[in-house]
Amino acid sequence: MNRRVFFLSSAGAALAQVPSDTVRLALIGSGGRGRRVMSEFKRDPNLKVHGVCDVYEPNLEAGLSAAGPGTVSYRDYRKVLDDAEVDAVLIATPEHWHHRMTLDAMAAGKDVYVEKPLCHTPEEGKELVEAERSSDRIVQVGMQRRSYNLYLEARDMRREGRLGTVRMVRTFWLNSRTEPRRSPFEGPIDWKAWVGPAPEVPKDPLTFFNWRSLSAYSGGIAQDQGCHIFDSIHLIMDAGYPISVTASALEPHVEGMDLPESVVVAAKYPDDFLAVFTINYNAMRYAMRADQLNAYDGSLARMDIGREFLRIYGHDSPETTAFAREQPGGFAQATIDHVMNFLHCVRTRETPRATMAKGFQAALIVQLANISIREGRKVHWNAETLSVA
């Protein structure tokens, strides 16, 4: 299938024609996650990695090596967006850059695959959702459960009434992170560019390597993992924005970090159910296959779903599975399928599975939870105005 796609720049001047199914990708943020997802893009025979951008030289070099010969290198993401040879960007930077880069990429006429969490604050999320409404760009948020057949099957079973009425979803995510990563810089870094929209701070590898536990750059491990969990709940329950969120947390236990590792979040939905997310990174280190569980408590049955299994327990025999499916390695395939869905939508202009609105709804829950923790109160959400009530 041949396609013709016009990319309209923010100045309204640049038009570029793509004569075939080839999609030319640029990676922005070539750390470990960025390189991993880029490798899934490369499975598509009509995908060309045109460029790699990073402000930290070792990551840039690793990204160029992974991309292959002939890849263009950039140290400023704005140069990527100025390049008419780029059709789409993969944004895999720290969280605090996602909002600005996604808006700028859309304005430059690029399609966007952006890693989760979509944004850092509710205000950023509102701006992104409103931008999506008035744009013809394809934006996919990297929440791969929306492309995971196990979770889609769980949604279908809930819809079919197998569980009865579900009033509560209970979840946990367990791991161990009690020490920060203490590594020196291994090469040059443009520190000002890395800090970007966050408050200016002295150059420090402790900040760079542990940004997920620092509030200037992240919503914490609860946000990083919680957006996955809440997105899967929204998928399975056909839910959207919450009515309110309440949260509690212990003080941070990792030296030098200001975000907690042990958090409980309770979200109330207009669909008349509660979703409770518990994360504890002061637990023993679980095998990845067993580190998370989501239990849907229905009036007829309970459904448990983890990374690689789906089980239903009937009310008459709750210790015996009425249905069980195992899917080892399913998450890896889900990421591949999610990337391929994005590329399919780039070529066809269909709506992707994880739109900006879905990405914001998932990220928002823990953003409201962080407000609840800081202010010691229940936080209400107005879905009409997309603002804290």
Side-chain angles (χ1 to χ4, degrees), residues 164-286:
T165 301
V166 177
R167 296 291 184 219
M168 182 174 290
V169 183
R170 298 171 291 113
T171 74
F172 70 69
W173 195 313
L174 302 170
N175 212 315
S176 176
R177 179 178 293 173
T178 56
E179 290 293 330
R181 178 181 170 185
R182 300 185 186 279
S183 303
F185 287 122
E186 297 178 351
I189 182 172
D190 184 338
W191 184 251
K192 183 177 181 180
W194 184 84
V195 171
E200 185 176 347
V201 293
K203 178 179 173 181
D204 186 354
L206 190 71
T207 298
F208 179 78
F209 288 112
N210 296 277
W211 61 266
R212 282 184 176 85
S213 295
L214 293 167
S215 58
Y217 320 102
S218 170
I221 199 66
Q223 167 95 319
D224 199 48
Q225 311 294 34
C227 64
H228 275 313
I229 296 300
F230 281 106
D231 183 57
S232 71
I233 294 170
H234 296 167
L235 171 69
I236 291 171
M237 294 295 290
D238 289 313
Y241 291 107
I243 293 174
S244 62
V245 174
T246 307
S248 184
L250 296 178
E251 295 301 314
H253 288 79
V254 180
E255 183 183 356
M257 304 297 108
D258 67 354
L259 288 169
E261 314 84 44
S262 303
V263 184
V264 177
V265 180
K268 181 180 179 181
Y269 291 85
D271 315 78
D272 197 21
F273 78 94
L274 293 172
V276 181
F277 170 58
T278 61
I279 187 164
N280 181 17
Y281 266 48
N282 271 296
M284 66 181 183
R285 184 173 293 279
Y286 281 63

Side-chain angles (χ1 to χ4, degrees), residues 91-102 114-122 124 128 194-195 197-198 211-225 227 259 363 366-367 370:
I91 299 173
T93 63
E95 177 187 315
H96 72 293
W97 264 114
H98 289 182
H99 158 260
R100 183 72 265 153
M101 288 182 177
T102 298
V114 55
E115 274 295 286
K116 57 76 198 169
L118 171 65
C119 54
H120 193 44
T121 66
E124 289 182 356
L128 285 164
W194 184 84
V195 171
W211 61 266
R212 282 184 176 85
S213 295
L214 293 167
S215 58
Y217 320 102
S218 170
I221 199 66
Q223 167 95 319
D224 199 48
Q225 311 294 34
C227 64
L259 288 169
V366 183
Q367 291 167 3
N370 284 336

Side-chain angles (χ1 to χ4, degrees), residues 14-69:
L15 292 175
Q17 185 172 355
V18 181
S20 72
D21 263 358
T22 300
V23 175
R24 298 164 298 188
L25 179 77
L27 168 62
I28 302 175
S30 54
R33 180 61 183 174
R35 298 195 300 272
R36 168 66 186 278
V37 178
M38 180 179 67
S39 72
E40 310 302 5
F41 273 87
K42 291 178 67 178
R43 293 173 182 269
D44 186 312
N46 292 322
L47 186 284
K48 173 180 171 56
V49 179
H50 176 78
V52 172
C53 177
D54 207 287
V55 299
Y56 181 45
E57 205 70 20
N59 282 351
L60 178 61
E61 292 172 0
L64 292 170
S65 177

